[in-house]
Amino acid sequence: MESNEDVRQGLVRPVRLDPRGLTGPTRGQARGPNWRRSSHGLYLPVDVDHGTVEQRILEAAAVLPASGAVTGWAALRWMGATWLSGKGRDGSLLPVPLLISTHDIRTQPGLLLSGEGCAPEVVQRIDGVPVTNAAWSTAFAMRYASDLRDAVIVFDMAAFNDLVSIEEITAQLAAQAAWTGVPQGRKALPFCGENSWSPMESDTKCLWVPVGGFPMPLQNRPIFDARGRHIGTPDLLDPTSGVIGEYDGPDHLRPEQRVRDINREARFRDHHLEVVVRSAGESPSSFLHRLASAYERAGRRRTPRSWTIEPPDWWTPTVTVAQRRALTPEQRARLLRFRTR
């Protein structure tokens, strides 16, 4: 059994029965009210919170064989993908994907066991948990996603934390040409982006393009006026037509946030940009109808363009994974502070 010294603060590694009751509960103690079984043959004190996603990942990792690893969304979360919460669209808990190769492990609730194997160099140990590297984990999640939209979202949210780039995931999928789910991963690639700031922005992008059939928008691309002043950074922008898409979640209903949103939309409209807002809970068809109307209005507009996406010389761009990876810690703290996670 490994100690908890290499495990993140606040998390507890499951333990096996110990007849002496030193490194784990005795059989009798395990039957009592103070312990719970986390998986077959492993136990935790009942006061350890199983509800946190990191604790779930740690408990799942405890059943891995020596050469196994956590992969998919769970590995990305363990590496820092803050938007990957381990929950499905309906709020249900996603099973933790484990690579076990040819090892025989008993199927247990909360685990997704994969017989896929990987080279030893693909696995890295982070805070006491073996995980497949970011490119491998992202490819796995995209290949086994429930649909193209979820495949796009998992990449976008891995890129949000600069774990993987378009170039890296393209190379990874190319190296797995004959593997399960690669066609879906490749089909998702044209819709993936490196600068989405939330899952629902990516979801809206998937409505915009593969469902609605409109041109691929830029994500969180700063817009400037003719003097190089920053007008705003919309969630989505079609730079050809000047159509903007914004997603307003529940936090946008707060009075102070609503005031900021109204003022920003006014600045966009001052420059003849067409703004379409998708609200939380709105039907896709309703949003797409208003998006089509915005494109029609934009097509009729004949006013000179007073905005640009070309940044002034003093601006530090942060729209790609490579650009963000090149930032210093001080620059990251300053330039990326506006991102919500």
Side-chain angles (χ1 to χ4, degrees):
M1 184 194 74
E2 297 181 76
S3 73
N4 280 317
E5 293 179 358
D6 57 354
V7 175
R8 293 175 185 172
Q9 185 176 5
L11 304 182
V12 181
R13 191 187 298 278
V15 296
R16 297 189 180 278
L17 295 175
D18 179 4
R20 300 170 300 168
L22 299 177
T23 61
T26 65
R27 191 173 299 277
Q29 289 172 333
R31 295 194 187 101
N34 297 322
W35 291 84
R36 66 174 174 85
R37 194 175 80 164
S38 61
S39 56
H40 182 69
L42 294 169
Y43 298 85
L44 282 165
V46 293
D47 58 356
V48 174
D49 184 5
H50 177 66
T52 68
V53 61
E54 284 79 12
Q55 182 64 37
R56 281 211 300 131
I57 294 169
L58 183 62
E59 292 180 25
V63 309
L64 284 168
S67 59
V70 177
T71 192
W73 72 263
L76 294 168
R77 173 71 183 210
W78 195 257
M79 286 184 274
T82 53
W83 280 109
L84 299 181
S85 65
K87 293 183 178 180
R89 295 178 195 167
D90 60 356
S92 60
L93 296 180
L94 299 175
V96 176
L98 302 178
L99 285 190
I100 61 172
S101 187
T102 58
H103 293 271
D104 186 16
I105 292 181
R106 181 178 301 184
T107 300
Q108 301 174 52
L111 303 182
L112 175 63
L113 304 179
S114 172
E116 293 183 355
C118 64
E121 58 267 24
V122 170
V123 179
Q124 51 192 320
R125 198 170 188 85
I126 300 177
D127 296 335
V129 173
V131 296
T132 54
N133 67 32
W136 183 284
S137 300
T138 305
F140 183 96
M142 293 176 71
R143 292 190 289 113
Y144 287 98
S146 60
D147 56 25
L148 181 142
R149 178 172 56 167
D150 280 351
V152 170
I153 290 173
V154 77
F155 172 85
D156 284 9
M157 295 305 97
F160 175 87
N161 291 101
D162 305 326
L163 297 176
V164 67
S165 67
I166 292 286
E167 181 181 8
E168 291 162 351
I169 193 60
T170 301
Q172 182 64 59
L173 290 170
Q176 297 176 318
W179 290 47
T180 299
V182 165
Q184 172 169 270
R186 288 177 170 171
K187 186 177 179 181
L189 279 177
F191 309 109
C192 292
E194 294 186 353
N195 201 34
S196 175
W197 292 357
S198 76
M200 287 308 298
E201 287 183 17
S202 298
D203 184 88
T204 303
K205 175 181 62 176
C206 289
L207 279 180
W208 191 298
V209 188
V211 177
F214 299 102
M216 174 67 75
L218 301 175
Q219 295 180 267
N220 294 291
R221 183 62 63 91
I223 302 175
F224 306 90
D225 67 14
R227 295 183 179 181
R229 293 175 299 192
H230 183 219
I231 300 170
T233 302
D235 296 345
L236 301 170
L237 166 69
D238 180 342
T240 301
S241 66
V243 172
I244 281 175
E246 299 275 50
Y247 177 78
D248 283 1
D251 59 310
H252 286 263
L253 297 177
R254 292 183 288 108
E256 63 276 14
Q257 181 60 52
R258 188 63 193 134
V259 169
R260 287 194 292 268
D261 291 344
I262 290 172
N263 287 330
R264 186 169 73 151
E265 290 172 20
R267 291 196 302 273
F268 289 146
R269 291 192 171 99
D270 285 344
H271 290 272
H272 309 294
L273 290 154
E274 287 288 344
V275 181
V276 184
V277 178
R278 181 189 180 195
S279 298
E282 179 182 14
S283 69
S285 60
S286 174
F287 169 74
L288 289 175
H289 175 75
R290 288 185 291 106
L291 183 60
S293 297
Y295 267 99
E296 290 177 4
R297 290 191 299 272
R300 295 194 299 266
R301 195 177 297 280
R302 296 293 181 266
T303 53
R305 177 168 292 196
S306 61
W307 57 272
T308 180
I309 59 172
E310 291 298 321
D313 293 340
W314 56 267
W315 186 268
T316 302
T318 60
V319 298
T320 69
V321 169
Q323 289 169 346
R324 295 192 295 272
R325 286 175 177 173
L327 297 175
T328 66
E330 183 277 331
Q331 286 175 317
R332 290 189 68 86
R334 177 169 55 87
L335 299 176
L336 305 183
R337 68 187 184 280
F338 44 80
R339 303 202 303 174
T340 56
R341 294 208 179 188

